[in-house]
Amino acid sequence: MKILVINGPNLNMLGIREPDIYGRQTYQDLIDLVKSAADRLGAEAAFFQSNHEGDLVDAIQEAYGCFDGIVINPAAYTHTSVALLDALKAVGIPTVEVHISDVREREDFRQISYVRSACIGTVMGEGFDGYVKAMEMLIEHGKRRNEA
Ligand code: DQA
Protein backbone atom coordinates (compact mmCIF):
# COMPACT_ATOMS: atom_id res chain seq x y z
CA MET A 1 0.00 0.00 0.00
CA LYS A 2 1.35 3.39 -1.00
CA ILE A 3 0.46 6.20 1.38
CA LEU A 4 1.03 9.91 0.85
CA VAL A 5 1.50 11.88 4.06
CA ILE A 6 0.57 15.52 3.50
CA ASN A 7 1.30 18.25 6.01
CA GLY A 8 0.02 21.80 5.74
CA PRO A 9 1.28 25.20 6.84
CA ASN A 10 3.70 25.68 9.72
CA LEU A 11 4.19 21.97 10.29
CA ASN A 12 7.71 22.39 8.88
CA MET A 13 8.26 24.44 12.06
CA LEU A 14 7.59 21.52 14.40
CA GLY A 15 10.08 21.56 17.25
CA ILE A 16 10.26 25.35 17.22
CA ARG A 17 6.59 26.15 16.95
CA GLU A 18 4.56 26.33 20.20
CA PRO A 19 6.33 23.35 21.83
CA ASP A 20 3.76 23.30 24.66
CA ILE A 21 1.15 22.30 22.09
CA TYR A 22 3.10 20.47 19.40
CA GLY A 23 6.11 19.12 21.33
CA ARG A 24 9.85 19.49 20.74
CA GLN A 25 10.28 16.95 17.99
CA THR A 26 10.92 18.23 14.48
CA TYR A 27 9.27 17.63 11.10
CA GLN A 28 12.23 15.37 10.22
CA ASP A 29 11.57 13.38 13.42
CA LEU A 30 7.98 12.96 12.25
CA ILE A 31 9.12 11.69 8.84
CA ASP A 32 11.54 9.24 10.48
CA LEU A 33 8.83 7.92 12.81
CA VAL A 34 6.24 7.48 10.05
CA LYS A 35 8.79 5.88 7.68
CA SER A 36 9.81 3.26 10.21
CA ALA A 37 6.16 2.58 11.12
CA ALA A 38 5.35 2.19 7.42
CA ASP A 39 8.19 -0.34 7.05
CA ARG A 40 6.87 -2.29 10.03
CA LEU A 41 3.35 -2.24 8.57
CA GLY A 42 4.54 -3.30 5.13
CA ALA A 43 3.45 -0.02 3.55
CA GLU A 44 5.32 2.61 1.57
CA ALA A 45 5.14 6.23 2.74
CA ALA A 46 5.91 9.39 0.78
CA PHE A 47 5.85 12.89 2.25
CA PHE A 48 4.75 16.33 1.14
CA GLN A 49 4.65 19.56 3.15
CA SER A 50 3.67 23.01 1.98
CA ASN A 51 2.62 26.33 3.42
CA HIS A 52 0.59 27.06 0.27
CA GLU A 53 -2.99 25.94 -0.22
CA GLY A 54 -2.73 25.55 -4.01
CA ASP A 55 0.38 23.40 -3.70
CA LEU A 56 -1.51 21.13 -1.32
CA VAL A 57 -4.36 20.90 -3.84
CA ASP A 58 -1.80 20.01 -6.55
CA ALA A 59 -0.28 17.29 -4.35
CA ILE A 60 -3.73 15.74 -3.76
CA GLN A 61 -4.53 15.83 -7.48
CA GLU A 62 -1.15 14.33 -8.40
CA ALA A 63 -1.77 11.48 -5.94
CA TYR A 64 -4.57 10.22 -8.21
CA GLY A 65 -3.56 6.87 -9.69
CA CYS A 66 -0.30 6.86 -7.69
CA PHE A 67 -1.33 6.37 -4.06
CA ASP A 68 -3.76 4.05 -2.28
CA GLY A 69 -4.22 6.26 0.77
CA ILE A 70 -3.64 9.76 2.07
CA VAL A 71 -2.84 10.86 5.61
CA ILE A 72 -3.41 14.60 5.81
CA ASN A 73 -2.83 17.18 8.48
CA PRO A 74 -4.10 20.27 6.69
CA ALA A 75 -3.13 22.39 9.74
CA ALA A 76 -4.83 25.81 9.63
CA TYR A 77 -6.38 25.03 6.22
CA THR A 78 -8.48 22.39 8.00
CA HIS A 79 -10.64 25.21 9.26
CA THR A 80 -10.85 27.28 6.08
CA SER A 81 -10.31 25.29 2.91
CA VAL A 82 -13.13 24.21 0.66
CA ALA A 83 -10.45 23.73 -2.03
CA LEU A 84 -8.79 20.92 -0.07
CA LEU A 85 -12.17 19.29 0.56
CA ASP A 86 -13.00 19.44 -3.14
CA ALA A 87 -9.59 18.04 -4.11
CA LEU A 88 -9.98 15.08 -1.75
CA LYS A 89 -13.48 14.43 -3.09
CA ALA A 90 -12.22 14.73 -6.67
CA VAL A 91 -9.54 12.05 -6.33
CA GLY A 92 -11.60 9.77 -4.08
CA ILE A 93 -8.49 8.30 -2.42
CA PRO A 94 -9.23 6.96 1.10
CA THR A 95 -7.97 9.66 3.46
CA VAL A 96 -7.51 10.05 7.20
CA GLU A 97 -7.36 13.51 8.79
CA VAL A 98 -4.77 13.94 11.55
CA HIS A 99 -4.16 16.64 14.14
CA ILE A 100 -1.26 16.51 16.55
CA SER A 101 -3.16 18.49 19.17
CA ASP A 102 -6.67 17.81 20.36
CA VAL A 103 -8.46 20.54 18.44
CA ARG A 104 -11.70 19.77 20.32
CA GLU A 105 -10.11 21.34 23.40
CA ARG A 106 -8.94 24.46 21.59
CA GLU A 107 -10.42 27.69 20.19
CA ASP A 108 -13.88 27.84 18.63
CA PHE A 109 -12.44 28.60 15.19
CA ARG A 110 -10.69 25.21 15.23
CA GLN A 111 -13.95 23.32 15.72
CA ILE A 112 -14.81 23.33 12.02
CA SER A 113 -13.10 20.90 9.67
CA TYR A 114 -13.88 21.34 6.00
CA VAL A 115 -11.95 18.22 5.00
CA ARG A 116 -13.57 15.83 7.49
CA SER A 117 -16.51 14.86 5.31
CA ALA A 118 -14.11 13.57 2.65
CA CYS A 119 -12.20 11.41 5.15
CA ILE A 120 -12.77 7.85 6.37
CA GLY A 121 -11.64 8.91 9.84
CA THR A 122 -9.98 11.52 12.03
CA VAL A 123 -7.25 11.16 14.64
CA MET A 124 -6.53 14.02 17.00
CA GLY A 125 -4.65 14.69 20.19
CA GLU A 126 -2.31 11.71 19.88
CA GLY A 127 0.82 13.63 18.89
CA PHE A 128 2.99 12.12 16.16
CA ASP A 129 1.57 8.66 16.94
CA GLY A 130 -1.67 9.86 15.37
CA TYR A 131 -0.02 9.61 11.94
CA VAL A 132 0.85 5.96 12.60
CA LYS A 133 -2.70 5.26 13.74
CA ALA A 134 -3.99 6.94 10.56
CA MET A 135 -1.81 4.63 8.43
CA GLU A 136 -3.14 1.63 10.33
CA MET A 137 -6.70 2.81 9.65
CA LEU A 138 -5.95 3.09 5.93
CA ILE A 139 -4.41 -0.39 5.84
CA GLU A 140 -7.44 -1.86 7.66
CA HIS A 141 -9.76 -0.02 5.28
CA GLY A 142 -7.81 -1.39 2.31
CA LYS A 143 -8.07 -4.95 3.65
CA ARG A 144 -11.82 -4.63 4.18
CA ARG A 145 -12.23 -3.26 0.66
CA ASN A 146 -10.25 -6.17 -0.81
CA GLU A 147 -12.37 -8.70 1.12
CA ALA A 148 -15.65 -7.15 -0.05
C1 DQA B 1 -3.15 21.23 13.83
C2 DQA B 1 -4.29 21.98 14.51
C3 DQA B 1 -4.68 23.19 13.68
O1 DQA B 1 -5.75 23.89 14.31
C4 DQA B 1 -3.51 24.15 13.57
O2 DQA B 1 -3.85 25.24 12.75
C5 DQA B 1 -2.28 23.48 13.09
C6 DQA B 1 -1.96 22.14 13.54
C7 DQA B 1 -2.65 20.05 14.68
O3 DQA B 1 -1.91 19.25 14.13
O4 DQA B 1 -2.96 19.96 15.87
O5 DQA B 1 -1.46 24.09 12.40
O6 DQA B 1 -3.64 20.70 12.61
Side-chain angles (χ1 to χ4, degrees), residues 9-11 17 21-22 73-79 98-103 106 109-110 131:
N10 301 306
L11 291 168
R17 168 189 192 199
I21 298 174
Y22 300 111
N73 182 346
Y77 291 135
T78 307
H79 317 300
V98 174
H99 300 286
I100 296 166
S101 65
D102 190 345
V103 288
R106 299 183 65 190
F109 61 83
R110 295 185 204 274
Y131 290 78

Side-chain angles (χ1 to χ4, degrees), residues 42-98:
E44 207 181 298
F47 299 86
F48 182 79
Q49 189 279 329
S50 177
N51 296 323
H52 305 281
E53 186 175 12
D55 290 345
L56 295 165
V57 170
D58 287 344
I60 293 167
Q61 289 186 6
E62 284 160 20
Y64 183 75
C66 300
F67 288 92
D68 311 300
I70 294 175
V71 172
I72 189 165
N73 182 346
Y77 291 135
T78 307
H79 317 300
T80 62
S81 180
V82 177
L84 289 181
L85 168 67
D86 286 348
L88 291 170
K89 280 180 157 173
V91 297
I93 300 170
T95 299
V96 177
E97 173 192 9
V98 174

Side-chain angles (χ1 to χ4, degrees), residues 25-33 35:
Q25 288 193 296
T26 64
Y27 178 65
Q28 187 57 50
D29 293 332
L30 173 65
I31 290 179
D32 294 344
L33 173 87
K35 256 193 192 147

Side-chain angles (χ1 to χ4, degrees), residues 128-143:
F128 287 7
D129 290 343
Y131 290 78
V132 176
K133 190 168 180 182
M135 279 198 303
E136 289 168 347
M137 288 162 73
L138 287 171
I139 290 165
E140 265 311 304
H141 179 82
K143 277 189 196 151

